[in-house]
Amino acid sequence: MTTSDEADLLARVPDGVFIGGRWRAAENGRTLQVTDPATGEVIKEVADASAADGAAAMDAACAAFPSWSRTPARERAELLRRAFDLVQERAEDLALLMTLEMGKPLAESRGEVTYGGEFLRWFSEEAVRVQGRYGVNPEGSGRMIVTKHPVGPCYLITPWNFPLAMATRKIAPALAAGCTVVVKPAALTPLTTSFFTQILVDAGLPDGVVNVITTSESGPVSEPIIADRRLRKLSFTGSTAVGQQLLKQAAPGVLRTSMELGGNAPFVVFEDADLDKAVDGAMLAKFRNIGQACTAANRFIVHRDVAEEFTRRVTERVQSFTTGRGTEDGVTIGPLIDDRAVDKADALVSDAVERGAEVRTGARTVDGPGSFYEATVLSDVQPGSDILREEIFGPVLAIVSFADEDEAVRIANDTEFGLVSYVFTRDLARGQRMIDRLETGMMGLNVGVVSNAAAPFGGWKLSGIGREGGFEGIGEYLETKYTLTPDPFG
Ligand code: NAP
């Protein structure tokens, strides 16, 4: 049951598509239902956009591009900064909304508001620091001028697991660079994006600069947008399988693409690690967002001399967790996003156990309304188990052991993914060797969370293309032009 505060908040969330500065119903009048994964109840209906709404959103983004791209960077920066301030003011609303539509405990939603808001602040600062260069060519016969230009209208597709941060991580650098955008949030969690869009409007967003389409038909609505030759950039966060399809669709238009895709993060604990830190790091790396993060530690690779002690300690911690609706005090494990996610976690655990893994705790679905899976620890997971190859996306901590550094590296790199790795060791030289040897775009060395708006977030191998955040993040929305002029003395 939603409480009256929750109902009041939900009533304040815009329920239309947002096109050309106006909220309106979908052209065909259809709506899609949003569900609370902790109760299975429908909490809101929003516009269910069709391809016609997608085309209208593209028209609006293209119409707004000439003036937004020429708007002084300082003005664009100030809009983002005002939006940052409003996110702070409305932090509690944003946090509750995320918990309602996605399920994570409120404390974690508050953490996401901080993280997601930081992209607005960071890129408000970066907007005014876009640099070119000027130089003399080596022959001395000319002057070389390098300038940066907004890439053009962009299409931004976001997943359900971090409804605010995945939106701000794309919208903020795009706007800072002078691009206009069409945003498509996941059908499971459209409310946070709509609420945030209203924050941008209240911060002074000009019409057409950001357009939002909520839809249950992501494929049919997206395809014509991606095929539209006015589009210049596609930025996607989601699964590798969908990313691969979208890359094919982006090929005819030779679109600039950013792909933030799936992960299979190794979490390596060496025998010299500070086990207290490693256990704390493991709790964050594994159970943040109920394990539903691309950065979630998927494989715990622990030296055989400390494997039993590490397993005992993480099991103790996991047994102290409280499972429930994320709005309730003291809850540490909320529901998974839907029943399919529960079935997937359960199937991966069953496969691992059939192949010889030992259940230390959990390994059970929870009856009743909502999509819950008990936090689980598995030890002695055997090579060949599906859980070592696939992204778990649930609260299951799977442990394998190793004998020496080379074996640890071999196991850690034995995946087609390469988003992030975690390493715990007290040996500085070993830590430095791991930076060279692990094939991932990011690494936590004695820490369990790496995300930061000021850092270049992104993956190697099947985990993606491009970087979000950091100095690099705005570059994804800029084109480079080189101009040659003659030697002015020649
Ligand atoms: P998903 O199924 O790939 O969906 C992601 C987004 O793509 C959603 O908005 C979805 O819309 C849309 N989509 C699905 N099929 C589409 C199509 N044919 N054309 C256009 N859009 C389409 O992924 P998810 O289950 O939401 O998210 C989990 C995945 O995201 C995991 O693999 C996770 O690792 C990855 N992820 C990566 C990062 C990163 O930064 N690397 C961050 C977070 C998550 P609908 O849901 O409405 O269909």
Side-chain angles (χ1 to χ4, degrees):
M1 277 288 286
T2 47
T3 65
S4 59
D5 283 355
E6 292 165 10
D8 169 61
L9 169 61
L10 288 164
R12 287 188 279 121
V13 178
D15 57 7
V17 289
F18 185 69
I19 298 176
R22 197 165 69 83
W23 293 102
R24 66 159 170 81
E27 208 163 75
N28 58 18
R30 282 177 27 198
T31 56
L32 75 89
Q33 297 185 328
V34 183
T35 304
D36 177 346
T39 62
E41 272 178 38
V42 173
I43 51 173
K44 177 112 182 159
E45 293 196 17
V46 297
D48 189 358
S50 65
D53 298 303
M58 259 308 281
D59 288 346
C62 294
F65 179 70
S67 99
W68 181 247
S69 58
R70 284 196 300 270
T71 298
R74 177 68 73 201
E75 279 181 39
R76 299 198 301 259
E78 282 167 356
L79 168 80
L80 292 172
R81 179 64 205 211
R82 284 193 297 275
F84 168 77
D85 290 338
L86 288 175
V87 163
Q88 310 314 304
E89 273 175 33
R90 300 178 198 173
E92 277 305 296
D93 283 348
L94 279 162
L96 179 56
L97 200 51
M98 273 192 277
T99 294
L100 291 178
E101 68 174 342
M102 183 274 160
K104 72 183 86 180
L106 255 183
E108 289 198 36
S109 293
R110 291 186 181 115
E112 184 176 341
V113 175
T114 303
Y115 174 51
E118 282 303 330
F119 289 102
L120 299 164
R121 178 153 65 175
W122 175 261
F123 285 111
S124 77
E125 292 158 350
E126 287 300 286
V128 294
R129 313 218 188 290
V130 173
Q131 308 286 346
R133 61 180 200 268
Y134 180 85
V136 182
N137 67 358
E139 299 74 28
S141 58
R143 296 289 186 270
M144 303 191 302
I145 304 165
V146 179
T147 48
K148 299 284 181 178
H149 306 264
V151 67
C154 305
Y155 187 37
L156 315 179
I157 303 178
T158 58
W160 49 264
N161 60 346
F162 291 100
L164 178 67
M166 297 302 98
T168 55
R169 202 165 82 172
K170 295 185 191 305
I171 295 171
L175 267 51
C179 296
T180 56
V181 303
V182 176
V183 186
K184 194 209 75 60
L188 292 166
T189 58
L191 304 182
T192 305
T193 305
S194 297
F195 194 81
F196 170 65
T197 302
Q198 187 58 44
I199 287 181
L200 286 172
V201 174
D202 295 346
L205 182 77
D207 293 352
V209 171
V210 174
N211 306 277
V212 179
I213 45 173
T214 50
T215 179
S216 64
E217 298 199 307
S218 50
V221 169
S222 298
E223 233 176 291
I225 296 176
I226 297 168
D228 189 319
R229 287 298 160 91
R230 296 172 299 173
L231 187 75
R232 291 313 318 142
K233 162 96 194 178
L234 170 63
S235 178
F236 170 75
T237 297
S239 59
T240 294
V242 173
Q244 287 166 327
Q245 276 181 41
L246 295 178
L247 280 170
K248 280 190 200 150
Q249 292 175 27
V254 194
L255 295 181
R256 300 289 168 271
T257 55
S258 299
M259 294 278 144
E260 297 287 349
L261 309 177
N264 180 3
F267 187 107
V268 184
V269 182
F270 284 100
E271 66 277 22
D272 61 6
D274 177 333
L275 275 196
D276 289 337
K277 284 207 176 104
V279 169
D280 286 347
M283 293 302 108
L284 287 171
K286 179 71 252 181
F287 294 105
R288 194 169 67 106
N289 228 37
I290 319 136
Q292 303 168 113
C294 51
T295 50
N298 217 56
R299 297 166 295 148
F300 286 78
I301 302 164
V302 185
H303 192 274
R304 62 185 181 196
D305 289 354
V306 293
E308 188 48 40
E309 176 66 7
F310 177 82
T311 306
R312 192 187 60 71
R313 292 209 213 171
V314 292
T315 302
E316 221 173 82
R317 293 280 285 272
V318 167
Q319 284 169 337
S320 73
F321 287 168
T322 305
T323 302
R325 190 169 188 240
T327 49
E328 286 159 19
D329 282 346
V331 164
T332 41
I333 296 285
L336 294 184
I337 188 68
D338 58 18
D339 289 347
R340 277 192 321 160
V342 174
D343 293 345
K344 181 180 176 192
D346 202 34
L348 288 174
V349 168
S350 301
D351 172 77
V353 172
E354 273 165 31
R355 292 174 195 259
E358 187 183 339
V359 176
R360 296 303 188 101
T361 189
R364 270 190 300 270
T365 56
V366 179
D367 286 342
S371 308
F372 290 93
Y373 194 78
E374 264 189 25
T376 298
V377 177
L378 302 177
S379 62
D380 300 305
V381 175
Q382 298 300 308
S385 301
D386 293 345
I387 206 163
L388 301 180
R389 217 178 33 246
E390 288 183 35
E391 212 176 9
I392 305 169
F393 246 55
V396 182
L397 191 159
I399 301 170
V400 298
S401 61
F402 69 89
D404 60 33
E405 189 177 306
D406 285 346
E407 189 186 8
V409 169
R410 188 184 54 70
I411 300 173
N413 286 338
D414 184 19
T415 168
E416 51 194 358
F417 296 101
L419 189 61
V420 61
S421 49
Y422 304 93
V423 171
F424 283 76
T425 177
R426 285 192 173 104
D427 180 338
L428 179 61
R430 173 179 270 156
Q432 288 174 325
R433 285 196 296 279
M434 291 302 111
I435 295 174
D436 278 359
R437 297 185 76 185
L438 296 185
E439 298 163 353
T440 57
M442 302 177 283
M443 182 165 145
L445 187 51
N446 295 319
V447 295
V449 179
V450 296
S451 303
N452 192 297
F457 188 106
W460 291 7
K461 298 165 40 180
L462 293 198
S463 290
I465 299 171
R467 294 294 179 269
E468 291 189 323
F471 308 123
E472 293 83 352
I474 196 167
E476 301 273 319
Y477 295 90
L478 293 167
E479 281 286 20
T480 299
K481 178 177 280 177
Y482 149 65
T483 304
L484 182 67
T485 64
D487 174 10
F489 298 103

